[in-house]
Each structure stands twice: as C-alpha cells, then as structure tokens.
Amino acid sequence: MDSEHEALLFYSQVHWLSKGNVVNQVFELWGDLKSFLEMQGKVDLLSHFNDVLWKPHLAYLADIFEQLNRLNLKLQGKERNVFHLMDCLRGFFANLQNWQRKVAAGNIAMFENLSAVLDRNEEDSLLDPLPKTEITQHLRSLESELNMYFPEFEEEEGKFVRNPFSGTLDITTIPSVVQDEFLDLKQDSAAKDLYEEKSLNVFWCSMHQSYPKVSEIAFRQLLPF
C-alpha cells in the first residue's frame, strides 16, 4: 500500500474534539484500511467497509466534526468575550437550521466529504430516504443539545457594554444607580476615541478608574464566569 502511515491502532481513547481528526483519517484512508483489514482477517470491522451506506455515514460524520472543530477554534484566543462567543454560536445555530432545510431538499453541497462520496457513486438513492432523514434528525438533535449547553444570552442589559456610544441606546435599560456615571461616559469624547481604537476588553479596563461603577457592570457582562 502507498499510504504514508505504517501502523494502525484498533482502539485509542481521545478527547471528543480529536475524534473529528480520527474520523477524517479513517475516511481519507478508506481504501488502505479496507485492504489492511482484509489481510488481517478482521471480519467484524471489515463488515462496515462492505456496507454501502456506511461510507456516506462516515463522510457526513467527518464533515460535521470539521464544522464543530471550526466553531471551537473561533471560540478560542485572545480578546474573546461573551459577545463574541454568542455571535459565533448564533451563526452556527443559523447554519444548522439552514443545513436542515437544504438536506431535506436533497442539497448536501455544504458537506464536502459526503458530497464527494455520492458524486463518485452517482447514486442519488443513497441520500433518500433513510440517510436524509438520519442527517436532518442528527442536525436537529445537535441544535437542541447545543441550545441546552449554550442558552440564549440575555443581551438587553449588555447593549451598553457592547456599544456605550450607540444613539439608539435606551437609558432605562441601565441600572439607575449608574445612569449618571454612564451619561458622563457617553459624552466623553476621549473615551469614544478609545472605544473606536481598542478592543472591547481593553476599552472597559481603561474606563475602570474614571467610571468604576459602569465598568464593574461591564466586567460582569464580559466575563460571566
């Protein structure tokens, strides 16, 4: 075999995000793995490779793990705050809903591996009806699970944290004990210049000495842990 890999582990415990890489490797080495299992007489494992629907399922799994890994990377790094995280999650939820609609209509172009498998087989029947139903159900279940772990963030009180200089901001949404201090901040042109130049985290850290009460509320919104 021409594969650059020289060994195969039949089992290895990995973290869930790494499982996406494992699934991708299995998908990419499909032919080599099938030949290897035939040589080794691993009939139980080989049965999956001979199942006509197993490869499309594996391809979809590789695709969805890739999407989850991309989301995970977006949530990491410096200068991340709750607003950035919720924007990323809302975008992913929107994609999940759009993917459900597309798969139900028979469109799988957003899943590259699955699309490639079906194109090579030239059998539209592989996506209809059972795999199509399974994929839409899985996407719906994934959306439900993520909603449970990441409930919608109540952003009404946080609007002034995201943009304290917004012209549409309703002052009544801000706690009354800090409204006076907030209005002073809102009219501070130097603070507005800093807001436009710096990240949200750096801006509010810089405001703490001059506007401590408002800044404390901002810190609780930015770091709700």
Side-chain angles (χ1 to χ4, degrees), residues 11-175:
Y11 175 80
S12 179
Q13 183 65 37
V14 294
H15 294 294
W16 77 271
L17 282 173
S18 300
K19 290 180 181 178
N21 296 328
V22 174
V23 171
N24 245 327
Q25 289 296 312
V26 172
F27 178 75
E28 291 174 1
L29 296 173
W30 176 274
D32 290 340
L33 287 173
K34 184 176 181 180
S35 298
F36 175 82
L37 294 173
E38 289 172 344
M39 292 168 52
Q40 297 293 317
K42 299 290 183 180
V43 179
D44 54 338
L45 294 175
L46 188 59
S47 64
H48 297 297
F49 287 79
N50 292 326
D51 183 345
V52 69
L53 290 179
W54 197 68
K55 190 173 185 179
H57 285 159
L58 181 67
Y60 165 73
L61 197 59
D63 285 327
I64 204 66
F65 265 115
E66 174 64 23
Q67 295 293 342
L68 287 169
N69 282 338
R70 288 179 185 175
L71 173 63
N72 179 59
L73 291 175
K74 288 181 180 179
L75 301 180
Q76 299 179 35
K78 295 181 178 180
E79 302 300 335
R80 297 297 188 248
N81 55 59
V82 68
F83 300 110
H84 170 82
L85 303 186
M86 291 311 302
D87 286 346
C88 291
L89 288 167
R90 288 186 185 115
F92 192 73
F93 284 134
N95 280 325
L96 285 173
Q97 293 168 3
N98 192 40
W99 295 339
Q100 292 173 49
R101 179 185 61 80
K102 285 186 173 181
V103 172
N107 183 352
I108 56 164
M110 59 285 183
F111 299 132
E112 296 181 5
N113 292 325
L114 178 59
S115 184
V117 167
L118 296 185
D119 284 346
R120 283 197 296 270
N121 284 301
E122 296 181 349
E123 294 182 19
D124 293 336
S125 60
L126 287 178
L127 193 64
D128 187 46
L130 186 58
K132 182 191 298 185
T133 302
E134 290 176 344
I135 290 173
T136 52
Q137 287 178 344
H138 177 261
L139 291 171
R140 193 176 299 115
S141 175
L142 180 58
E143 181 184 2
S144 177
E145 288 290 319
L146 288 174
N147 265 315
M148 182 177 67
Y149 284 103
F150 302 101
E152 181 62 24
F153 175 63
E154 181 55 57
E155 203 171 327
E156 189 61 34
E157 291 185 358
K159 286 182 178 179
F160 85 88
V161 178
R162 185 188 280 259
N163 184 2
F165 303 99
S166 171
T168 61
L169 191 63
D170 183 0
I171 190 65
T172 62
T173 63
I174 300 172

Side-chain angles (χ1 to χ4, degrees), residues 165 185 187-197 203 207:
F165 303 99
L185 167 64
Q187 302 305 318
D188 188 334
S189 58
K192 185 175 183 180
D193 290 340
L194 190 65
Y195 171 81
E196 294 174 350
E197 296 171 1
F203 167 77
M207 294 297 103

